[in-house]
Amino acid sequence: MTESDASDDTQANALDAADPLRAMRDEFLIPVHEGREQAYFCGNSLGLQPRTARAHVEEVLDKWAHEAVEGHFTGQAQWLPYHELVRDGVARVVGAQPSEVVAMNSLTANLHLMMVSFYRPTRERPAILMEAGAFPSDRYALESQVRFHGFDPATDLIELQPDEADGTFSMAAIERAIAEHGPRLALIVWPGVQYRSGQAFDLAGIARLGHAAGAMVGFDCAHAAGNLPLRLHDSDADFAVWCHYKYMNAGPGAVAGCFVHERHARTDRPRFAGWWGHEQASRFRMGADFVPTAGADGWQLSNPPILGLAPLRGSLELFDRAGMGALREKSERLTGYLERLIHERLGGTLQIATPREPERRGAQLSLRVVAGRGLSGREAGRSLFEFLASQGVLGDWREPDVIRISPAPMYNNHADVLRFVRAVEAWRGQ
């Protein structure tokens, strides 16, 4: 080890020793590669398993074994109100009133359910505004809703193109698009954080502009929930949807989340109804008339999957322990450290496609490989990505040429970031 290497290690270790959240890492199971913990940067795709998740799942299995159907109504963590056990914690993470959030279904199912109520197109206002390059599932959902209502996506699904370098959007471009299309807009659906670029957006500003134009406004917060200190209630969004398996660490295919602003708590807008959305006091009378529960709970359809909700309880305990404010502070330090090392040591190798301003990004840096090992473009990117994986440094790949590296403040540290940088240097030097 050279003197420079030792100095790098000393600095990273000192930064980690001074981290008030350093003990959080021990609360997670970190995959091992060739006898060593991975440097895992995929929290934007699948968060690591909290050590407490297993106990919450086993509690449900034990209850099922010993109480069977009575588990809905008896003992600890009863299944009938089980989703209420995560309500307050979820509300704290996304900045909402408890009555405004519910854990249910999957992200795209929730997006469709929200559009049933909040996308009510007319001949004068048929259009939806979204970002070009959105996650495919969002585009599929929005396009299918436009077609379902008898309109033409070619004219009524408006996809705003990025106006900044590296495929990011200025607030001015969003404002211009809303002003241009405002009279035709029924709905705006925008990401909290764009999945490929990692860009974060001013949700309150977008909601204000959308409402002034007469449109409903909803947000896909899949990459924002648990990443940024969201303030969904204060943003004045009509609705938001997200998943819990990314930064929220609730496991593969975890039950998703949904926000409905309190002003719609007793809306008479149409909705797809199911018995679990019926008010609890009379649900088991099995009446013919649907009486929705006030708030987000009223959009539930069926019994929640208890085994799918259980790991979320363990994750939320950790979020409450750390606090979103402290997690965001650490996230800015980690991502800033990664950015600095890239500029200092990898400037000719990697290009950062995520905004430099901390307020315009979350944990993720999206990287393109400029050149290395005689390669360029996508070929160089794939070569580096596969080399990193072979070294136990795990990011993820997004076509056509982006490597996403997301230092999650719950479990990543400065030593992980330094390991990534050294791995890139090793690839470049081969």
Side-chain angles (χ1 to χ4, degrees):
M1 178 180 290
T2 67
E3 184 176 338
S4 176
D5 288 336
S7 175
D8 291 340
D9 286 333
T10 298
Q11 182 188 47
N13 291 336
L15 290 169
D16 288 333
D19 173 18
L21 297 180
R22 62 188 178 277
M24 299 300 296
R25 182 182 177 97
D26 296 332
E27 301 295 336
F28 290 86
L29 295 166
I30 300 175
V32 172
H33 176 84
E34 296 182 352
R36 182 185 182 189
E37 287 182 346
Q38 283 183 344
Y40 186 85
F41 295 107
C42 286
N44 60 342
S45 187
L46 179 66
L48 293 181
Q49 182 184 139
R51 292 182 181 275
T52 55
R54 184 180 298 274
H56 285 291
V57 172
E58 288 180 345
E59 177 188 51
V60 175
L61 291 173
D62 289 344
K63 192 175 183 66
W64 181 18
H66 296 110
E67 300 177 38
V69 71
E70 292 299 310
H72 286 88
F73 316 104
T74 59
Q76 297 296 314
Q78 298 173 18
W79 301 333
L80 179 64
Y82 196 88
H83 71 281
E84 297 174 9
L85 297 176
V86 302
R87 177 188 292 155
D88 288 358
V90 168
R92 285 189 287 270
V93 169
V94 301
Q97 307 283 355
S99 64
E100 294 176 317
V101 300
V102 62
M104 64 179 190
N105 307 318
S106 61
L107 185 152
T108 306
N110 288 342
L111 179 57
H112 275 296
L113 289 174
M114 291 297 98
M115 286 193 285
V116 168
S117 295
F118 296 105
Y119 176 51
R120 307 302 302 163
T122 63
R123 186 172 299 277
E124 294 76 23
R125 282 187 178 270
I128 301 176
L129 176 67
M130 64 181 296
E131 94 272 20
F135 191 77
S137 191
D138 282 8
R139 194 190 186 286
Y140 302 156
L142 271 59
E143 180 181 8
S144 66
Q145 287 277 342
V146 171
R147 291 188 188 281
F148 177 80
H149 285 280
F151 295 98
D152 184 357
T155 55
D156 300 326
L157 183 59
I158 301 166
E159 298 178 83
L160 177 63
Q161 296 293 330
D163 64 317
E164 297 178 332
D166 300 317
T168 56
F169 300 82
S170 70
M171 191 63 181
I174 298 171
E175 185 170 2
R176 286 193 300 270
I178 294 173
E180 177 184 353
H181 300 287
R184 298 186 66 247
L185 288 180
L187 176 66
I188 297 169
V189 177
W190 205 261
V193 171
Q194 214 282 337
Y195 87 102
R196 183 183 283 110
S197 71
Q199 180 182 4
F201 295 94
D202 176 3
L203 304 191
I206 293 171
R208 182 176 63 254
L209 292 167
H211 289 154
M216 290 286 171
V217 181
F219 296 110
D220 177 350
C221 291
H223 287 266
N227 180 6
L228 297 172
L230 296 173
R231 298 175 179 84
L232 289 182
H233 175 83
D234 293 341
S235 78
D236 209 33
D238 294 292
F239 69 87
V241 294
W242 61 92
C243 48
H244 287 123
Y245 50 79
K246 299 182 188 294
Y247 295 101
M248 296 292 291
N249 310 309
V255 180
C258 190
F259 163 88
V260 179
H261 198 280
E262 67 175 353
R263 68 176 170 276
H264 302 300
R266 296 188 179 278
T267 183
D268 58 359
R269 287 174 167 270
R271 75 178 84 192
F272 285 166
W275 86 304
W276 218 254
H278 187 98
E279 64 174 6
Q280 187 172 330
S282 60
R283 183 181 300 155
F284 285 90
R285 294 176 189 168
M286 308 300 184
D289 296 325
F290 177 70
V291 181
T293 302
D297 272 12
W299 273 266
Q300 295 177 103
L301 298 179
S302 303
N303 307 43
I306 306 303
L307 286 166
L309 279 170
L312 180 58
R313 294 179 60 199
S315 178
L316 289 171
E317 290 163 2
L318 298 178
F319 274 94
D320 277 340
R321 192 169 119 194
M324 279 305 303
L327 287 167
R328 176 58 175 165
E329 289 176 7
K330 180 179 176 180
S331 179
E332 290 185 359
R333 291 195 300 271
L334 279 176
T335 304
Y337 180 61
L338 172 61
E339 179 184 40
R340 178 170 64 80
L341 291 183
I342 289 173
H343 286 310
E344 290 175 356
R345 299 166 59 163
L346 303 172
T349 305
L350 296 180
Q351 175 188 24
I352 300 174
T354 303
R356 296 195 63 174
E357 305 91 335
E359 66 274 14
R360 297 184 69 208
R361 69 187 186 199
Q364 171 183 321
L365 289 187
S366 296
L367 308 174
R368 291 189 175 94
V369 180
V370 178
R373 297 174 66 175
L375 305 172
S376 62
R378 186 184 185 279
E379 187 180 13
R382 286 300 306 180
S383 175
L384 173 57
F385 178 73
E386 290 164 9
F387 178 83
L388 291 171
S390 76
Q391 302 301 303
V393 178
L394 202 65
D396 73 356
W397 176 264
R398 285 295 176 263
E399 293 291 352
D401 60 354
V402 170
I403 297 174
R404 303 188 304 177
I405 299 295
S406 301
M410 279 277 195
Y411 45 78
N412 284 123
N413 58 25
H414 295 82
D416 289 332
V417 172
L418 180 59
R419 184 174 165 190
F420 163 78
V421 171
R422 284 175 170 167
V424 178
E425 290 175 326
W427 170 82
R428 183 179 61 186
Q430 286 188 348

